[in-house]
Amino acid sequence: MRINRINVNDEGLNRFFGPLEARIMELLWSSGELSIREVQSVLSREEPISVNAVMTVMNRLLKKGHLAKAADRAGRDRGATFKPSLTKEQFLDEQMRAVSQGLVQEYGDLIVTHMIDALEGADPGIVARLEQKINEMKRGKA
């Protein structure tokens, strides 16, 4: 389930989702399976939000394929439980793969140069993994 638009000026999950979508996904990734009413109850601790607003966004996330309807406890959407279709790690991996492949295909040398420049001051472990991956590619193992 590829995200069609990325907001490069935002941070975290808000790059991929609207603010309420991001909060709902984060909550479900940390909690597992919840009903619309349970999500609304948790979100309302931070600021008031209606059940209808939460239901609309969760149903939109369901249509987009980001959520799966797990069970119907009361025969209505408000009684159903929802869970993420992918783990947060799987989701981010899928999005980063699509973004990086698209950027390399479209901008080639330019994006690679900027990605390498971005490694300046990065965790040495990241640089070591990159070096290992490049060596594997040179040996034809990747």
Side-chain angles (χ1 to χ4, degrees):
M1 87 205 58
R2 188 172 171 184
I3 297 289
N4 293 325
R5 292 187 182 183
I6 296 175
N7 184 352
V8 296
N9 296 320
D10 230 319
E11 294 182 8
L13 291 176
N14 287 342
R15 289 182 191 262
F16 306 104
F17 298 109
L20 183 54
E21 288 177 326
R23 289 172 57 208
I24 289 170
M25 291 303 297
E26 196 69 72
L27 175 60
L28 288 169
W29 275 319
S30 65
S31 302
E33 191 175 306
L34 297 171
S35 70
I36 290 168
R37 195 167 291 285
E38 289 167 331
V39 170
Q40 183 266 340
S41 176
V42 172
L43 294 177
S44 289
R45 293 178 195 155
E46 297 171 18
E47 62 183 271
I49 186 165
S50 73
V51 171
N52 285 339
V54 173
M55 180 170 45
T56 298
V57 172
M58 287 179 70
N59 281 321
R60 193 176 309 138
L61 289 166
L62 178 68
K63 279 185 181 176
K64 291 178 182 179
H66 299 297
L67 296 181
K69 201 171 188 179
D72 199 342
R73 295 189 290 209
R76 299 172 51 203
D77 276 346
R78 290 183 188 186
T81 57
F82 295 79
K83 62 183 180 180
S85 300
L86 300 173
T87 66
K88 184 176 182 179
E89 294 74 21
Q90 290 169 327
F91 171 81
L92 291 173
D93 182 64
E94 189 175 282
Q95 301 316 310
M96 291 302 98
R97 180 177 289 113
V99 167
S100 58
Q101 286 175 345
L103 289 171
V104 168
Q105 287 172 1
E106 192 165 346
Y107 300 107
D109 291 344
L110 183 60
I111 191 62
V112 171
T113 299
H114 286 289
M115 288 177 143
I116 291 169
D117 289 346
L119 291 172
E120 198 171 308
D123 178 336
I126 292 172
V127 176
R129 285 192 297 280
L130 175 61
E131 186 175 27
Q132 179 183 0
K133 186 72 172 179
I134 289 171
N135 289 332
E136 288 173 2
M137 290 174 73
K138 286 179 180 179
R139 291 190 300 266
K141 293 182 178 179

